C-alpha cells in the first residue's frame, strides 16, 4: 500500500493486516484488521498520529519513505496498547527530534510497557491544543475507550476526529472510507461487543461530549474511516443507550444430544411467542459472534450438560466472557442435563456476578429430557415472554 489522502494535509500511513486471525490471543478476527496511522502535515509542523502493530513496523517505515517524511515534530500516542504504540521506540529512533505527546496516564504505561525514554514524552491536558500552523491538534481525554489513559485527537480545521479504538472495526478492506454499510455495521458491532461493551457508561459520556464538536470525518485506529459519521455514532448510541431487544441468546454445548433437544424446544417456545431466539453452539469457537449477539439481547439462557459434576467448560467460559463484557441483559436462566448429580447451575451462577439480571427458574433434566422436562422448557419460554412483555421490549 501507499500513503492515501484523507483530506487536505492528512494522509493515512497505516497497515492492513489481511491475515490476522486472533487479537490479544482471544478475539477471533474473521475479517482481519488494520492499524491506522496518520500523517498530519501542517504549514509549520508535522505530526504522526498513532503508529502500527510491531509486526507491521516495516510497512510503516515504507509508508514514511513513500511520503518522504524527513522530520517529525510530534508523535501522538492516543493509546498505550501495543497495536497502537508498539512501534513508538522505533519511531523515536527514526525521528529523535520528535516529541511524543500523550495523556498523563499514558506516560507511565508507555514507559512500563515499551521503555520509551521519559524525557522524550510531553503529556497533554484534556482540551489542550497544539498548533501545527494551519492545523491544530486538540486532545480529548477519553478514559476507557479502551484503556484508562486513552485520548482522542481532534483537528478543528478539518472537522476530523482521530478516534483511537472508539468507532473502530476489525475489518481489513482496501476501502479507505466505509462503503458497505451492512458489512461495516456487523464488523463494528462485533468490535464494539468485544472491546467497548464493558465500558458502556463511559462511552455514553464521551458521546455526549463529542456532540458539541463539528465532526465530518472519523478516523479510527482500526477499520475503514467514516465520512458520514452519523452512521457509526448513531450505532454507538443505540448499542449503549437503547433498551435491549426482544431477543434471547442461547449459548450451549450438547455432548450426547439431551441439551440440544432442550435448546430446540426452547427456540420453538420462544418463536411461538414472537421472541427472537439465537442459539450459539459454543463448539464453533467464535466467541466474537456470541459477544455481538449479547449487545442487544434481553435474556441469556445457558445450555449445558454436566461434566465432572459441573458445567461443560465451554459453557463456563461463555459465562465468564458474558460476565466480563457486561452486556445489558435483564434476565438469565440455565437449561441442561445430568446423569448422576452435579452443581452446574450453582457453579454457572457464581461466574456471573456482574450481570444485573433476574434469574428465571432453570430446567435441568436427569438424562434424556422427558415430556415433563420439555413442558418445563415451555414454561421457561412463557416466563421469558411474560418478563419481556412487562419490560416493554420490542
Ligand atoms: Fe486497538 Fe486497545 O487497542
Amino acid at each position: 500500500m501507499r500513503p492515501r489522502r484523507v483530506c487536505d494535509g492528512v494522509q493515512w500511513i497505516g497497515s492492513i493486516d489481511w491475515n490476522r486471525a486472533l487479537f490479544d490471543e482471544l478475539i477471533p478476527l474473521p475479517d482481519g484488521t488494520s492499524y491506522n496511522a496518520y500523517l498530519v502535515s501542517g504549514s509549520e509542523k508535522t505530526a504522526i498520529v498513532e503508529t502500527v502493530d510491531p509486526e507491521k513496523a516495516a510497512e510503516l517505515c515504507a509508508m514514511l519513505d513513500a511520503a518522504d517524511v524527513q522530520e517529525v515534530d510530534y508523535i501522538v500516542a492516543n493509546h498505550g496498547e501495543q497495536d497502537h504504540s508498539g512501534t513508538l521506540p522505533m519511531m523515536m529512533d527514526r525521528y529523535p527530534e520528535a516529541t511524543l505527546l500523550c495523556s498523563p496516564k499514558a506516560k507511565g504505561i508507555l514507559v512500563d510497557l515499551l521503555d520509551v525514554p521519559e524525557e522524550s514524552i510531553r503529556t497533554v491536558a484534556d482540551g489542550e491544543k497544539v498548533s501545527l500552523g494551519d492545523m491544530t491538534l486538540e486532545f480529548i481525554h477519553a478514559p476507557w475507550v479502551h484503556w484508562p489513559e486513552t485520548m482522542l485527537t481532534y483537528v478543528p480545521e478539518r472537522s476530523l476526529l482521530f478516534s483511537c479504538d472508539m468507532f473502530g472495526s476489525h475489518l481489513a478492506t482496501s476501502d479507505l472510507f466505509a462503503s458497505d454499510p451492512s458489512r461495516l455495521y456487523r464488523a463494528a458491532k462485533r468490535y464494539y461487543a468485544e472491546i467497548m461493551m464493558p465500558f458502556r457508561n463511559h462511552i455514553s459520556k464521551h458521546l455526549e461530549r463529542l456532540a458539541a464538536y463539528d465532526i465530518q470525518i472519523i478516523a479510527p485506529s482500526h477499520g475503514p474511516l467514516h465520512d458520514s459519521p452519523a452512521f457509526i455514532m448513531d450505532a454507538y448510541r443505540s448499542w449503549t443507550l437503547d433498551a435491549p431487544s426482544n431477543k434471547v441468546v442461547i449459548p450451549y454445548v450438547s455432548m450426547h444430544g439431551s441439551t440440544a433437544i432442550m435448546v430446540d424446544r426452547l427456540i420453538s417456545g420462544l418463536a411461538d411467542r414472537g421472541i427472537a431466539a439465537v442459539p450459539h453452539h459454543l463448539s464453533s469457537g467464535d466467541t466474537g459472534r456470541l459477544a455481538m449477539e449479547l449487545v442487544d439481547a434481553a435474556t441469556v439462557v445457558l445450555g449445558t450438560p454436566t461434566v465432572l459434576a459441573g458445567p461443560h467448560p465451554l459453557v463456563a467460559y461463555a459465562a465468564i466472557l458474558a460476565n466480563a463484557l457486561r452486556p445489558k441483559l435483564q434476565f438469565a436462566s440455565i437449561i441442561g442435563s445430568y446423569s448422576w448429580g452435579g452443581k452446574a447451575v450453582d457453579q454457572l451462577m457464581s461466574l456471573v456476578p456482574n450481570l444485573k439480571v433476574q434469574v428465571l427458574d432453570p430446567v435441568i433434566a436427569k438424562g434424556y429430557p422427558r415430556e415433563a422436562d420439555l413442558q418445563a422448557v415451555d414454561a421457561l419460554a412463557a416466563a421469558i415472554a411474560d418478563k419481556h412483555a412487562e419490560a416493554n421490549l420490542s
Side-chain angles (χ1 to χ4, degrees):
M1 297 291 289
R2 288 187 291 276
R4 305 177 78 179
R5 180 184 179 279
V6 175
C7 60
D8 283 351
V10 180
Q11 294 180 80
W12 176 87
I13 53 168
S15 170
I16 300 173
D17 201 338
W18 300 96
N19 300 319
R20 187 162 179 175
L22 205 57
F23 195 81
D24 287 349
E25 300 301 322
L26 173 67
I27 298 168
L29 301 181
D31 300 307
T33 191
S34 68
Y35 318 106
N36 298 333
Y38 301 94
L39 177 64
V40 185
S41 306
S43 57
E44 294 172 14
K45 295 192 172 177
T46 298
I48 290 169
V49 179
E50 302 269 54
T51 65
V52 302
D53 190 275
E55 296 267 321
K56 297 291 185 179
E59 286 188 26
L60 178 58
C61 287
M63 284 283 184
L64 293 164
D65 289 342
D68 195 23
V69 182
Q70 302 291 335
E71 288 189 10
V72 172
D73 299 283
Y74 302 112
I75 298 173
V76 178
N78 278 338
H79 183 21
E81 193 166 11
Q82 288 87 337
D83 54 309
H84 303 237
S85 66
T87 48
L88 283 175
M90 178 202 81
M91 294 291 280
M92 299 310 287
D93 282 347
R94 182 175 172 127
Y95 300 110
E97 73 285 0
T99 300
L100 198 163
L101 303 177
C102 65
S103 72
K105 276 199 178 129
K107 180 174 179 178
I109 288 174
L110 295 176
V111 171
D112 289 345
L113 294 183
L114 300 161
D115 225 7
V116 174
E118 285 195 46
E119 57 276 14
S120 63
I121 299 177
R122 181 180 134 199
T123 61
V124 290
D126 186 26
E128 186 171 335
K129 296 175 182 171
V130 168
S131 175
L132 305 179
D134 62 346
M135 282 190 280
T136 310
L137 303 178
E138 177 180 340
F139 304 104
I140 303 169
H141 288 191
W144 299 111
V145 289
H146 163 217
W147 283 1
E149 89 303 4
T150 304
M151 66 179 192
L152 322 178
T153 300
Y154 178 65
V155 182
E157 295 83 358
R158 300 292 181 273
S159 301
L160 167 65
L161 180 72
F162 296 111
S163 64
C164 194
D165 277 338
M166 196 176 179
F167 305 128
S169 55
H170 285 311
L171 177 58
T173 168
S174 58
D175 294 334
L176 181 63
F177 286 94
S179 64
D180 181 340
S182 63
R183 186 172 183 226
L184 176 70
Y185 185 87
R186 285 191 65 77
K189 187 176 182 183
R190 175 184 274 262
Y191 175 98
Y192 165 87
E194 295 160 335
I195 295 163
M196 296 284 150
M197 187 155 64
F199 312 113
R200 271 186 295 129
N201 294 338
H202 294 275
I203 290 170
S204 60
K205 286 181 192 146
H206 298 325
L207 288 170
E208 213 172 291
R209 183 172 176 192
L210 290 175
Y213 287 78
D214 173 25
I215 298 171
Q216 302 300 322
I217 298 175
I218 290 179
S221 297
H222 304 289
L225 286 65
H226 305 274
D227 53 7
S228 299
F231 177 82
I232 192 70
M233 294 179 95
D234 287 349
Y236 265 60
R237 278 190 200 97
S238 161
W239 297 331
T240 55
L241 298 172
D242 285 359
S245 302
N246 189 20
K247 169 173 151 180
V248 177
V249 177
I250 311 166
Y252 77 101
V253 170
S254 189
M255 293 161 62
H256 301 292
S258 296
T259 301
I261 290 168
M262 299 171 79
V263 167
D264 187 62
R265 184 73 168 231
L266 180 61
I267 294 168
S268 293
L270 294 169
D272 288 348
R273 292 167 174 83
I275 299 172
V278 183
H280 180 80
H281 194 248
L282 291 161
S283 300
S284 74
D286 186 357
T287 49
R289 176 179 175 261
L290 172 59
M292 184 167 59
E293 296 296 352
L294 287 171
V295 167
D296 46 12
T299 298
V300 64
V301 178
L302 297 165
T304 186
T306 301
V307 180
L308 299 173
H312 191 287
L314 287 175
V315 183
Y317 178 70
I320 290 169
L321 187 71
N323 185 63
L325 294 176
R326 298 170 184 252
K328 49 191 176 188
L329 292 164
Q330 295 186 356
F331 309 101
S333 191
I334 298 167
I335 58 176
S337 73
Y338 70 102
S339 291
W340 52 83
K343 295 188 178 300
V345 168
D346 292 344
Q347 289 183 16
L348 282 176
M349 292 316 302
S350 74
L351 296 175
V352 291
N354 292 339
L355 299 184
K356 305 303 177 204
V357 290
Q358 181 178 348
V359 178
L360 306 178
D361 286 344
V363 182
I364 305 297
K366 187 171 191 307
Y368 192 85
R370 309 301 204 278
E371 186 52 30
D373 302 309
L374 297 177
Q375 285 182 13
V377 173
D378 292 342
L380 174 60
I384 292 170
D386 288 347
K387 292 294 178 187
H388 284 204
E390 282 169 23
N392 287 320
L393 302 177
S394 58

